[in-house]
Amino acid sequence: MSPRPFLSLLLGATLALGCGAPSEAGTGLGLELRMSQAVASEVGAFQVVVLRDGRERRCAELQRACVQQQVKSEELVVLQGPNGKKGRALRFPAALSEGGTQQMSADIPVGRDYVVIIEALSRTNPPRLLGSSCNYLDSVSATRNEPLIAAPITLTAVECDPTIAP
């Protein structure tokens, strides 16, 4: 399964997730994204989803295709974005700075044993999956949380529409 040549630069893309105490706006999980500028022109958005029972899930399997093709909608944890909107997936338009970084945030419920998946979506309509990052999150507490360093985006050669309805 060979990825498209322009996607080969995604291999070097990395994500860093930092958890902090919830702010007055309710932001519980801060996400900082770092990506190669050579890939930035292909990425239209980033979609964030969270699943319970994280240790029972295999990241390698979840990264082979769009998450929405592999799990039932009710398995997705309801998240709240910085704008107050809630959904089973949060989508952030790609707005990478010159340094290849982007700030995002989301509220996730206090709990244990999550898996956080960040999918890079193409600019095309309908979007297609360019790659994803799968990360185990042991717990989210009501107080300050330790930062989580996310795994690099894994290339995906599967054509699928990753769109998850709210």
Side-chain angles (χ1 to χ4, degrees), residues 42-95:
E42 295 293 327
V43 178
F46 298 97
Q47 181 169 261
V48 178
V49 297
V50 177
L51 300 166
R52 296 185 194 282
D53 303 320
R55 293 292 172 189
E56 292 179 15
R57 305 199 186 256
R58 294 188 180 357
C59 277
E61 292 297 318
L62 291 169
Q63 291 176 285
R64 288 190 182 164
C66 295
V67 171
Q68 61 91 0
Q69 293 179 330
Q70 301 178 67
V71 300
K72 296 176 184 170
S73 177
E74 56 271 6
E75 291 180 77
L76 300 170
V77 174
V78 175
L79 307 172
Q80 182 174 338
N83 58 1
K85 290 186 179 179
K86 292 183 179 183
R88 296 189 184 279
L90 295 179
R91 189 173 293 186
F92 298 91

Side-chain angles (χ1 to χ4, degrees), residues 17-159:
L17 302 176
C19 301
S23 70
E24 289 181 35
T27 303
L29 181 65
L31 296 97
E32 181 180 314
L33 178 96
R34 295 172 198 239
M35 180 169 279
S36 166
Q37 282 295 323
V39 179
S41 64
E42 295 293 327
V43 178
F46 298 97
Q47 181 169 261
V48 178
V49 297
V50 177
L51 300 166
R52 296 185 194 282
D53 303 320
R55 293 292 172 189
E56 292 179 15
R57 305 199 186 256
R58 294 188 180 357
C59 277
E61 292 297 318
L62 291 169
Q63 291 176 285
R64 288 190 182 164
C66 295
V67 171
Q68 61 91 0
Q69 293 179 330
Q70 301 178 67
V71 300
K72 296 176 184 170
S73 177
E74 56 271 6
E75 291 180 77
L76 300 170
V77 174
V78 175
L79 307 172
Q80 182 174 338
N83 58 1
K85 290 186 179 179
K86 292 183 179 183
R88 296 189 184 279
L90 295 179
R91 189 173 293 186
F92 298 91
L96 297 166
S97 70
E98 286 186 33
T101 63
Q102 180 169 334
Q103 298 289 325
M104 299 177 281
S105 64
D107 268 352
I108 66 172
V110 170
R112 295 188 175 281
D113 195 22
Y114 290 118
V115 66
V116 178
I117 302 162
I118 303 167
E119 295 179 312
L121 312 181
S122 71
R123 293 186 180 279
T124 60
N125 190 13
R128 70 183 194 288
L129 181 66
L130 297 177
S132 63
S133 172
C134 183
N135 311 274
Y136 296 107
L137 181 60
D138 290 329
S139 67
V140 175
S141 71
T143 60
R144 186 161 180 80
N145 296 287
E146 292 297 316
L148 169 71
I149 304 300
I153 288 177
T154 299
L155 301 178
T156 304
V158 175
E159 291 285 332

